[in-house]
Amino acid sequence: MHVKLLRPHTHAGREYPAGAELKTLRPAQAEWLVAVGTAEPTSPEPAPIPHTEPAKAGKKE
């Protein structure tokens, strides 16, 4: 689960400012931060969709 901090928070001895996104939390940690009002859940960024060209039909002569 990814969360975005609503206020500053110290995690694993490191200080994070409000607005920071934490992406490596265990689900229980993330749920606790949301429950105490320190963070809000965010969705991970979807993987980009690769651009593919449609197959071109061969020329008829």
Side-chain angles (χ1 to χ4, degrees):
M1 175 185 251
H2 297 188
V3 297
K4 182 177 180 180
L5 295 177
L6 300 173
R7 57 183 180 206
H9 177 71
T10 302
H11 173 72
R14 184 172 172 196
E15 293 183 23
Y16 293 90
E21 291 193 28
L22 303 180
K23 300 176 182 180
T24 58
L25 296 175
R26 289 180 291 188
Q29 293 171 315
E31 290 168 4
W32 179 79
L33 286 170
V34 171
V36 298
T38 300
E40 63 184 2
T42 60
S43 298
E45 299 247 348
I49 299 172
H51 178 72
T52 58
E53 293 291 325
K56 294 182 181 178
K59 276 188 171 181
K60 290 185 179 180
E61 292 185 33

